[in-house]
Amino acid sequence: MLWIKALHIIFVITWMAALFYLPRLFVYHVMSEDEISRERFKIMERKLLRGIANPSMIAVFIFGAWMSWLGWDYYSTQIWYWCKIALVSLMAAYHHACVVYWKQLRDDHCTKSHKFFRVFNELPVFLLFGIVILVVVKPFQ
């Protein structure tokens, strides 16, 4: 179980790193004024999303589900666990929103401003705070 937990945490960290950086790339992409820069950001965004964010999210769900399955008798009765699952679901929705914006930027159809993406970039921080507090403190136990 500890190996599964360790791998889960490692992939949570890589997923969060990608979700913190991808919208920051969107800020710079939207602010870029020349075609060479925009094409460079398209490449960076694609590599970050496909090479790190997507595989990390999949691994988080695999190892998280595995841990949940192994400890189902405990987890299924814990309110903090279900709150965590709700926040993780919101994080997955945020990831999906990043994919939508990435496709818009890739196809030169995005209408969002750099100010929007600066605010959008902060949202996963709040989700991460909630998730970590629920897992470590277990306030509803």
Side-chain angles (χ1 to χ4, degrees):
M1 177 80 147
L2 291 178
W3 280 102
I4 299 166
K5 185 183 283 187
L7 290 169
H8 180 68
I9 291 168
I10 289 165
F11 287 112
V12 166
I13 291 167
T14 59
W15 187 30
M16 291 301 93
L19 289 184
F20 291 152
Y21 189 47
L22 186 61
R24 179 55 50 184
L25 288 176
F26 294 165
V27 170
Y28 301 139
H29 186 152
V30 169
M31 292 177 66
S32 62
E33 296 178 358
D34 59 286
E35 188 63 28
I36 292 171
S37 295
R38 284 190 292 275
E39 291 304 314
R40 183 178 302 122
F41 284 116
K42 289 177 185 181
I43 293 167
M44 293 170 67
E45 292 157 0
R46 184 190 80 240
K47 287 183 177 184
L48 180 59
L49 189 62
R50 290 184 178 171
I52 298 173
N54 289 344
S56 295
M57 182 184 71
I58 291 166
V60 164
F61 283 116
I62 289 169
F63 290 110
W66 194 356
M67 280 194 310
S68 294
W69 180 72
L70 289 173
W72 188 247
D73 290 340
Y74 169 71
Y75 291 124
S76 65
T77 64
Q78 300 300 307
I79 295 171
W80 67 265
Y81 172 81
W82 294 107
C83 293
K84 174 201 163 198
I85 294 300
L87 293 181
V88 171
S89 297
L90 290 174
M91 192 72 79
Y94 180 86
H95 182 114
H96 177 71
C98 285
V99 171
V100 169
Y101 291 130
W102 167 69
K103 287 179 180 178
Q104 290 175 0
L105 287 162
R106 178 195 65 193
D107 298 338
D108 299 319
H109 295 302
C110 188
T111 59
K112 302 295 184 190
S113 70
H114 69 92
K115 291 179 183 177
F116 169 83
F117 284 120
R118 286 179 194 277
V119 173
F120 181 74
N121 186 217
E122 303 305 323
L123 298 178
V125 173
F126 297 109
L127 293 171
L128 183 61
F129 264 81
I131 292 166
V132 170
I133 289 168
L134 287 166
V135 171
V136 174
V137 179
K138 296 178 178 61
F140 307 116
Q141 192 170 10

